[in-house]
Amino acid sequence: MGSQRKKKEKKKDFVKPKLKVGKTKPKATSYTELGFRAKAIGIPEQSITKTHTSRETFDHHLSLARHHSHSARREALAYLQAHLPEEVDSSLFTSISPLILDPTPTVRAAVLSLVRAIPTSSLAPHVHLISLYIHSGMTHLAPDIRADSSKFLLFVLKAEDADIPMQLVTRSWEKTLHCFGSLLGWDLASPPPPGSSIPAGSGNWNKVGNATSIDRIANAAGHLDALSFFLRLGLSENLTPEMQAQREVPVYHADTSKHLIPRNATAPYARLGLFVEDKSRRWTAVSSTEDIGARYQLLKGMLPGILAGLDSGRRQGGEIGRKCKYLIDFLDKVKSETEKLQ
Amino acid sequence: MPKRRRAALLPSNIALLQNLIRRDPGSYKEEFLVQYRHYATQKEILATNPGGFHDAEAFIDQIGFIAQVCTCYPNETKEYPEDLADLLRKHHTVLPVELREKIVQSLVLLRNRGSIASERLIQIIFPLLTTTNSKTFRKDIYATLVRLLKHANRNTKAPKLNRTVQTLLFTLLESSDGAAAAPDGLWAAKLTRELWRRSIWDDPRTVEIMKQAALHGNTKVAIAGVSFFLGVDREREKAERKKRGLVDDDNSSDASSDDDEGDKPQVAGIKHRIGVNKKTGKRARKLEAAMRALKKKGKGAALPTQLNFSAIHLLHDPQGFAERLFGQTLSRGSGNKFTLEQRIQVLNLVSRLIGVHKLSVLGVYSYLLKYLTPKQRNVTQFMAATAQASHDLVPPDVLSPVIRKIADEFVSDGVAAEVAAAGLNTIREILTRNPLAIEADLLQDLTAYKGSKSKSVMMAARSLIGLYREVAPEMLSRKDRGKIASMEMSATAAAGQAKKLQYGVENIVEGIPGLELLEQWRKEQGLDKDDTEDAATKEAVDDDDAWNIDISDSEASEGGWIDVESDVEYNVSDDEGGIQDDHNTDTEDDGDDDDSDKEEDVEEKQPEAKRAKTEDAVQTLMATKILTPADFQKLEELRTKAGLDKILHGGKAAAAMQHEDTVDATSLLGPKTGKANKMERMAAVMEGREDRQFGSKKSKKDNQPHSTTNKEKARKKNFIMMIHKRDVQGKNKKSLRDKQKVLRAHIEKQKKSKGKH
């Protein structure tokens, strides 16, 4: 019977094991082996004296550029500026260019000084990325970011390497003009009806920033500087010395340089619009304008709006008035020249 | 001054700006354009690096804002929907999740506002359903699609939109017909099924989509299609009932079933709020509106159901479908792509198609032969499929091998009782649909099992006998025929009109069976003369007497009406003229036929003439009289007397012959005998408990989510706060007399409440 077998088994559990002479005591069933022998002692690899490579710290500070505390960001930028390597790669640009839109003024100032410190040769391939953020800054909702944007723009326009501003001019001419419109509060999309005249000192100038009046004037002056730089770059023929030389001594056709692929160009075929799906879209980043004629054609539509804005500025007088006057004169000159050509 | 400050705040305070723009779009255009330009530049930055966008939250807000006010500036925001569509199409795999969701939401909003057409929205988001690899996003899009179609088809069907989507689904199924892109097809099938279940789509095109799915090269898609045809009508009915509120709650928690519940007006909640809050006109109106909505819903429940054709009935070309389905999935060439369970499912569908549409797919029967052995796994399913696949237009020589096989394999002395019962039941099911498929010898062998010791086998054999008593008693052995059938047989033999079952001849009911008996009885009683002479006066005088059944002599019928079987077609003699002509021509035809084989039955001329005479009499009766319920009562009596009753009740078998219903595999095993085991008992108990809720009403009420009641608040209030209140202090300051009063009242109350119990 099963039950008897079970009884036997139960009994067996409580039987006292007999100790025999000359034999070791049998081990209990619940016995656990406790003795162990260490063969080696492992020491975790840690050292407080370990030196990081400069690259590692640099990368670390790159990531700190996105830190939530603005002082940390600013310090990271200062570090980056102090330890700039000779060859700057794209990771630097991708992490610092969003800071152009940083809400803290000191951080923006730090970015500006950092960008200034970067050698222009390594800046050139990343102009497009930076200009996207500059455009965003120009249309930004926060007035102080908007005010600072023209500093970055001026920096790009004044860069030593002539290719850098030309990239901006050729690749995003129309868009930059639109952004100026929103920056200066001008309505460029719809020209004012011919009969109406904008009253002197219309609210537009006051909208440029909500800082004190002196600041406001300084901001507006900065914007106007950038605009005049931009327009001059785009609309007047600025020939490099070698082009000049070639024109004077025409080995080939005088205008050959226009038909060659521009030197140092990062996106030489961008004007063909091979990768733009819908060409009718207006706010595209790449609306390539290679020559002055094309640029003028684009400008022509916005010209009444720009002139109206400048006119109201001119009537304000002072520094702004002077700058506006200068720009009006320049635009008139361009207008007459191009119309003479046609 | 405050206004200026507000203006300065505007660019950052999107909600305020949205509100202002709604009120006066014209004057806030400048502010809007600032936002829009900012959005445009941000979008471009996003396009360069969609994964690591630095400022997603602000961008999300901006997208929502523009979508909200987009209708105020249609010219400026012309490109906005396409921009969003572009972003979604190009970058949906890398965009931050919230941004992606927001874009879809905004697109839906734009559709609701009429900025984009429904078709366009579907074109935008439908491809994402199959290309995205995020589960939640897919679920989201799926729900959006279903909701969109539901809304579009809410009041009237939107044929254009439906057709667009159906075309998309068609192409999806077609393009995914390689094994690699299977999930796409699966989604198409799932969406179609869901829409069918909710009765949003109920047209043949939908069925065509599922047909395509069932014939899909991929196993999963094909099975999805097949199970649609097998189960979806039941599902739909269930959903319909649920919608009407007949079934309280089902535990089928679909992904998108919850949006139905939102429609329920929450009368209880509103009532409660009115009870608790201050009574205002607005709240009263709300309650009224809710009650009205509830009433409307209740009215909807009482409405007759709209015509609901089963998916199988809506098929175009069922013959081709069944052949292709059988050829692709079951026949030998198709390989072993499907598991046994899947093959059973497909077989089930093929057999249902054959049964419902009376198709001839002869390969099925030889295919089934292979599986009809007791050792086969899930053999009852195969047997059920066999029964479903047989109908009266299958040639008997195709079906008889199947029957022979079942008889050989299942019904012999060596097998277990339940096996034999299953075999006999299957044979019966097949034979109800096609009685010619068996020879008399085999039938008699099988009916010999009526004496089996096992109850289930005995019952199965008896049911077989019962069937043949109605259909073809001559095939049974003499003692199995029974009294009524034998009487009928001898009567028809005497009349020389012994009808034999024939392949392809449909059983058509030509008149009320046994009407000649009634006619004869009337003649004997001499009732006819009365009727013809002064029918008008008689009817005027004892209208009731003639119409009603004399209750005293009809003990069977309780309510004065005889039981009328719903599935039997009665030929009520209301429309005399046309039918009479038909019948006359019929009888003439019969006469012609008989003339042609005159050589054989010369001596039967006498009865022939007699039959013609009675038929004439019947015709006159049908042409001149309206039969009253009392007449029918008499007719039934006479019929039972004459042993003709089986003809009427034989209707049951006749109905079964056109039987389209499914055969339940478990029913083939016969009734369960013996004690239920523990599991079955528990299942029964659980079934009983399913919809009942236990516990007190109060606890249920308390468990409902609700805010704190005043009572609870008072009870939980800090004592220190209460200590100086009059409520508390007053107790101490009460005069002795007052204290006594209170105590007295308390005692009284206690006594009362005790007395109650």
Side-chain angles (χ1 to χ4, degrees):
Chain A
M1 290 292 275
S3 62
Q4 271 189 340
R5 186 169 54 86
K6 264 185 195 165
K7 261 181 208 164
K8 264 184 197 167
E9 276 175 1
K10 231 179 217 172
K11 240 181 221 167
K12 216 197 281 175
D13 287 342
F14 297 100
V15 170
K16 197 174 182 186
K18 273 183 186 163
L19 300 175
K20 281 182 184 169
V21 183
K23 298 260 167 97
T24 48
K25 194 179 158 191
K27 290 200 168 88
T29 47
S30 59
Y31 177 74
T32 312
E33 179 84 34
L34 283 176
F36 68 89
R37 241 176 40 199
K39 284 179 181 164
I41 297 173
I43 299 169
E45 257 184 79
Q46 273 185 5
S47 162
I48 46 169
T49 59
K50 198 204 168 201
T51 52
H52 294 275
T53 62
S54 63
R55 179 73 218 174
E56 275 169 7
T57 29
F58 190 76
D59 283 350
H60 173 64
H61 280 86
L62 273 186
S63 69
L64 279 185
R66 259 175 253 156
H67 198 268
H68 58 84
S69 145
H70 60 86
S71 58
R73 285 196 300 260
R74 198 187 56 228
E75 275 158 23
L77 287 172
Y79 178 89
L80 291 176
Q81 190 176 350
H83 296 84
L84 267 182
E86 294 190 355
E87 284 294 312
V88 182
D89 59 0
S90 62
S91 63
L92 176 73
F93 288 98
T94 48
S95 49
I96 65 161
S97 44
L99 296 181
I100 294 175
L101 308 177
D102 197 279
T104 325
T106 50
V107 176
R108 287 198 302 272
V111 174
L112 187 60
S113 72
L114 171 58
V115 173
R116 278 185 179 138
I118 295 171
T120 44
S121 59
S122 40
L123 186 66
H126 305 288
V127 174
H128 182 61
L129 180 68
I130 293 177
S131 66
L132 275 179
Y133 283 95
I134 293 176
H135 286 142
S136 185
M138 288 164 85
T139 59
H140 206 276
L141 302 176
D144 49 339
I145 295 177
R146 221 160 40 204
D148 275 357
S149 65
S150 65
K151 287 180 195 160
F152 288 97
L153 187 62
L154 260 179
F155 162 72
V156 171
L157 291 173
K158 283 180 178 171
E160 285 168 23
D161 189 351
D163 185 39
I164 294 173
M166 280 318 277
Q167 270 193 51
L168 191 67
V169 169
T170 53
R171 292 182 71 185
S172 46
W173 172 257
E174 191 187 8
K175 193 182 167 205
T176 314
L177 282 177
H178 274 293
C179 289
F180 267 119
S182 113
L183 182 64
L184 294 163
W186 299 341
D187 188 13
L188 301 184
S190 56
S196 74
S197 61
I198 293 172
S202 68
N204 285 339
W205 290 103
N206 296 331
K207 272 190 184 171
V208 187
N210 61 348
T212 58
S213 62
I214 299 168
D215 277 353
R216 208 181 301 140
I217 287 167
N219 287 340
H223 300 332
L224 283 172
D225 274 348
L227 178 62
S228 73
F229 237 92
F230 184 67
L231 287 176
R232 264 186 290 144
L233 262 175
L235 295 174
S236 57
E237 227 166 339
N238 46 343
L239 299 173
T240 54
E242 57 185 288
M243 279 159 76
Q244 195 72 38
Q246 205 197 29
R247 180 166 280 195
E248 278 159 11
V249 190
V251 182
Y252 317 108
H253 189 268
D255 286 340
T256 312
S257 63
K258 281 184 186 171
H259 303 287
L260 292 175
I261 296 170
R263 273 184 331 114
N264 301 339
T266 41
Y269 295 110
R271 70 203 151 87
L272 298 177
L274 291 176
F275 302 107
V276 180
E277 281 176 12
D278 188 3
K279 282 169 197 159
S280 63
R281 314 293 284 281
R282 207 183 48 186
W283 280 82
T284 45
V286 183
S287 57
S288 184
T289 46
E290 289 288 335
D291 59 349
I292 296 174
R295 276 173 229 147
Y296 182 72
Q297 282 304 318
L298 283 174
L299 178 70
K300 213 166 150 188
M302 305 174 221
L303 206 52
I306 294 176
L307 283 177
L310 286 174
D311 197 45
S312 76
R314 187 174 57 90
R315 274 180 232 180
Q316 283 217 325
E319 196 191 352
I320 292 175
R322 247 180 295 124
K323 286 186 171 162
C324 288
K325 173 110 186 359
Y326 173 75
L327 262 173
I328 290 171
D329 290 346
F330 173 72
L331 284 173
D332 281 344
K333 206 181 91 190
V334 171
K335 198 175 175 185
S336 61
E337 266 179 20
T338 38
E339 271 159 19
K340 204 165 56 186
L341 275 176
Q342 289 158 359
Chain B
M1 202 56 194
K3 199 166 187 185
R4 243 182 100 185
R5 200 177 294 156
R6 193 167 73 168
L9 266 176
L10 268 185
S12 51
N13 190 348
I14 282 186
L16 178 62
L17 182 58
Q18 185 180 323
N19 185 18
L20 291 172
I21 285 178
R22 279 273 180 70
R23 284 195 223 154
D24 185 7
S27 25
Y28 288 93
K29 190 173 174 184
E30 192 61 35
E31 279 79 1
F32 172 74
L33 282 178
V34 168
Q35 299 278 351
Y36 192 64
R37 281 187 205 122
H38 185 54
Y39 148 78
T41 50
Q42 292 285 85
K43 192 197 78 195
E44 268 169 27
I45 294 172
L46 177 72
T48 58
N49 183 16
F53 189 51
H54 63 281
D55 198 10
E57 289 91 35
F59 192 61
I60 287 171
D61 287 348
Q62 225 157 15
I63 284 180
F65 161 73
I66 296 174
Q68 287 282 359
V69 297
C70 172
T71 41
C72 301
Y73 308 104
N75 282 331
E76 283 76 8
T77 57
K78 233 183 293 170
E79 289 157 0
Y80 181 66
E82 287 310 310
D83 281 348
L84 291 187
D86 251 20
L87 274 183
L88 206 57
R89 198 181 60 237
K90 285 185 194 152
H91 308 299
H92 68 88
T93 45
V94 281
L95 282 180
V97 178
E98 302 86 24
L99 181 56
R100 199 170 54 188
E101 267 170 21
K102 189 71 190 182
I103 292 178
V104 173
Q105 270 174 25
S106 304
L107 282 170
V108 172
L109 185 71
L110 288 173
R111 191 212 70 89
N112 293 343
R113 294 272 158 86
S115 295
I116 50 171
S118 307
E119 284 88 357
R120 179 74 193 123
L121 177 60
I122 282 174
Q123 275 165 6
I124 293 166
I125 62 174
F126 192 80
L128 304 180
L129 189 66
T130 52
T131 50
T132 185
N133 43 15
S134 150
K135 206 171 179 182
T136 49
F137 190 47
R138 208 179 295 134
K139 210 167 149 190
D140 229 31
I141 288 181
Y142 178 74
T144 310
L145 279 174
V146 172
R147 211 173 304 130
L148 184 68
L149 285 165
K150 187 182 155 197
H151 278 279
N153 287 299
R154 173 157 274 177
N155 293 326
T156 51
K157 296 276 177 217
K160 205 177 150 206
L161 182 68
N162 289 346
R163 196 159 312 138
T164 319
V165 181
Q166 280 164 354
T167 317
L168 277 173
L169 293 173
F170 257 126
T171 47
L172 195 62
L173 273 173
E174 260 168 24
S175 64
S176 73
D177 212 340
D184 302 10
L186 213 53
W187 277 103
K190 191 177 174 197
L191 188 64
T192 315
R193 188 185 182 133
E194 174 76 20
L195 291 170
W196 181 275
R197 191 180 69 77
R198 291 160 168 253
S199 321
I200 296 168
W201 283 358
D202 46 12
D203 50 339
R205 268 180 82 90
T206 318
V207 180
E208 284 301 295
I209 293 176
M210 292 316 282
K211 182 177 149 186
Q212 184 110 353
L215 295 172
H216 198 272
N218 183 274
T219 319
K220 275 185 179 172
V221 182
I223 289 304
V226 167
S227 57
F228 168 81
F229 283 109
L230 289 178
V232 81
D233 286 315
R234 211 174 315 133
E235 256 179 27
R236 186 184 194 166
E237 211 170 277
K238 213 169 169 186
E240 202 87 348
R241 258 187 300 150
K242 193 177 164 191
K243 214 159 103 191
R244 298 269 167 73
L246 295 182
V247 177
D248 266 353
D249 204 13
D250 227 19
N251 42 12
S252 65
S253 53
D254 280 318
S256 42
S257 66
D258 45 6
D259 59 353
D260 279 342
E261 285 158 29
D263 302 345
K264 261 184 212 165
Q266 295 178 330
V267 180
I270 295 173
K271 262 187 180 165
H272 170 77
R273 251 169 276 151
I274 281 186
V276 173
N277 294 338
K278 193 180 171 216
K279 284 188 188 73
T280 64
K282 193 180 178 190
R283 288 202 184 105
R285 276 197 300 280
K286 254 187 192 169
L287 178 68
E288 250 172 50
M291 293 298 277
R292 227 180 294 133
L294 191 71
K295 227 180 190 178
K296 212 173 168 188
K297 270 211 137 174
K299 229 188 245 169
L303 284 175
T305 53
Q306 60 195 45
L307 277 180
N308 177 13
F309 292 106
S310 131
I312 288 181
H313 284 107
L314 283 175
L315 273 172
H316 290 311
D317 185 22
Q319 173 77 37
F321 180 41
E323 273 172 7
R324 281 182 67 193
L325 200 59
F326 177 65
Q328 278 186 15
T329 52
L330 299 178
S331 67
R332 204 158 293 166
S334 64
N336 266 346
K337 254 197 318 190
F338 293 87
T339 63
L340 183 69
E341 280 74 25
Q342 290 170 335
R343 261 178 288 159
I344 287 173
Q345 256 185 318
V346 177
L347 189 65
N348 199 355
L349 175 59
V350 171
S351 64
R352 282 215 66 188
L353 285 171
I354 293 172
V356 170
H357 292 285
K358 299 204 171 174
L359 311 174
S360 65
V361 185
L362 300 183
V364 172
Y365 306 103
S366 55
Y367 174 80
L368 281 167
L369 272 185
K370 189 169 66 176
Y371 290 100
L372 291 171
T373 56
K375 289 272 170 65
Q376 170 68 39
R377 196 147 55 94
N378 287 337
V379 70
T380 48
Q381 310 261 23
F382 284 102
M383 291 162 107
T386 317
Q388 280 182 116
S390 46
H391 55 84
D392 54 350
L393 295 181
V394 182
D397 51 341
V398 176
L399 264 184
S400 57
V402 178
I403 299 225
R404 169 73 62 183
K405 175 97 193 259
I406 297 174
D408 288 350
E409 294 273 356
F410 289 83
V411 195
S412 62
D413 286 332
V415 298
E418 57 261 35
V419 175
L424 281 171
N425 280 328
T426 313
I427 290 175
R428 190 202 63 221
E429 285 292 337
I430 298 171
L431 292 178
T432 5
R433 290 165 172 78
N434 190 340
L436 283 169
I438 195 168
E439 292 94 44
D441 306 342
L442 181 57
L443 179 66
Q444 283 164 18
D445 283 353
L446 293 178
T447 51
Y449 279 89
K450 71 182 173 185
S452 165
K453 281 204 181 102
S454 158
K455 196 178 176 192
S456 55
V457 176
M458 181 261 285
M459 281 171 74
R462 275 191 186 174
S463 73
L464 199 57
I465 293 172
L467 171 72
Y468 269 85
R469 277 183 182 172
E470 285 167 7
V471 184
E474 66 277 359
M475 285 172 79
L476 291 168
S477 61
R478 180 178 276 277
K479 61 180 173 184
D480 284 342
R481 282 174 197 162
K483 182 184 161 199
I484 297 172
S486 319
M487 276 168 71
E488 169 68 10
M489 262 181 82
S490 56
T492 49
Q497 47 171 333
K499 58 166 184 170
K500 238 186 151 185
L501 280 177
Q502 268 181 325
Y503 172 63
V505 175
E506 293 223 30
N507 188 16
I508 301 164
V509 180
E510 284 181 352
I512 303 170
L515 199 60
E516 66 277 359
L517 296 174
L518 184 69
E519 173 65 16
Q520 207 179 354
W521 176 76
R522 289 177 76 90
K523 261 187 196 148
E524 282 163 12
Q525 301 286 313
L527 281 170
D528 271 347
K529 278 172 196 164
D530 284 358
D531 263 353
T532 45
E533 278 169 8
D534 48 4
T537 50
K538 182 145 200 239
E539 259 170 50
V541 174
D542 44 21
D543 197 6
D544 288 351
D545 292 349
W547 189 257
N548 286 344
I549 303 164
D550 197 359
I551 297 167
S552 58
D553 61 18
S554 66
E555 62 283 330
S557 56
E558 290 161 30
W561 291 85
I562 54 163
D563 296 335
V564 179
E565 283 184 34
S566 60
D567 51 356
V568 179
E569 205 172 302
Y570 288 97
N571 196 351
V572 179
S573 53
D574 280 356
D575 39 3
E576 299 94 349
I579 284 185
Q580 193 180 13
D581 288 344
D582 286 349
H583 282 294
N584 283 339
T585 52
D586 277 354
T587 47
E588 274 163 24
D589 283 348
D590 285 355
D592 288 346
D593 287 346
D594 293 330
D595 285 349
S596 62
D597 35 27
K598 229 173 195 172
E599 299 93 287
E600 284 178 21
D601 42 25
V602 183
E603 65 270 49
E604 284 184 4
K605 230 176 181 181
Q606 197 73 16
E608 186 77 16
K610 193 180 161 194
R611 200 179 86 193
K613 202 178 157 196
T614 51
E615 249 172 44
D616 274 351
V618 168
Q619 292 296 338
T620 51
L621 182 68
M622 285 207 293
T624 53
K625 275 283 294 178
I626 293 174
L627 294 183
T628 61
D631 283 339
F632 278 112
Q633 170 85 9
K634 192 73 212 168
L635 183 59
E636 197 179 356
E637 234 172 71
L638 292 170
R639 253 194 324 237
T640 36
K641 234 185 245 170
L644 266 179
D645 203 28
K646 74 141 211 168
I647 294 172
L648 189 66
H649 291 298
K652 234 191 272 172
M657 276 166 73
Q658 292 127 19
H659 205 303
E660 300 182 338
D661 280 353
T662 51
V663 178
D664 189 14
T666 49
S667 74
L668 291 179
L669 291 172
K672 167 103 178 121
T673 51
K675 259 186 176 176
N677 61 17
K678 169 100 183 190
M679 222 160 67
E680 286 161 347
R681 261 177 286 144
M682 284 315 289
V685 169
M686 286 308 175
E687 198 182 11
R689 276 186 199 166
E690 207 158 55
D691 287 332
R692 288 188 58 200
Q693 286 176 330
F694 296 94
S696 71
K697 206 172 172 185
K698 187 171 173 294
S699 76
K700 261 181 267 168
K701 207 173 158 192
D702 288 348
N703 285 334
Q704 269 181 357
H706 62 86
S707 50
T708 340
T709 61
N710 288 344
K711 214 174 181 181
E712 277 172 327
K713 279 180 196 144
R715 206 179 293 143
K716 282 188 182 155
K717 196 159 189 176
N718 193 352
F719 185 62
I720 300 298
M721 292 164 85
M722 295 294 292
I723 200 163
H724 299 295
K725 291 278 152 75
R726 205 175 49 188
D727 286 352
V728 178
Q729 294 216 327
K731 279 185 190 167
N732 277 337
K733 288 180 184 168
K734 267 178 200 159
S735 66
L736 208 57
R737 168 98 184 102
D738 281 346
K739 272 184 190 171
Q740 195 185 18
K741 258 188 189 170
V742 172
L743 194 63
R744 210 23 88 210
H746 179 68
I747 290 166
E748 284 294 311
K749 206 176 173 187
Q750 289 285 310
K751 268 184 192 166
K752 262 185 197 169
S753 68
K754 250 183 203 165
K756 256 189 210 167
H757 295 303

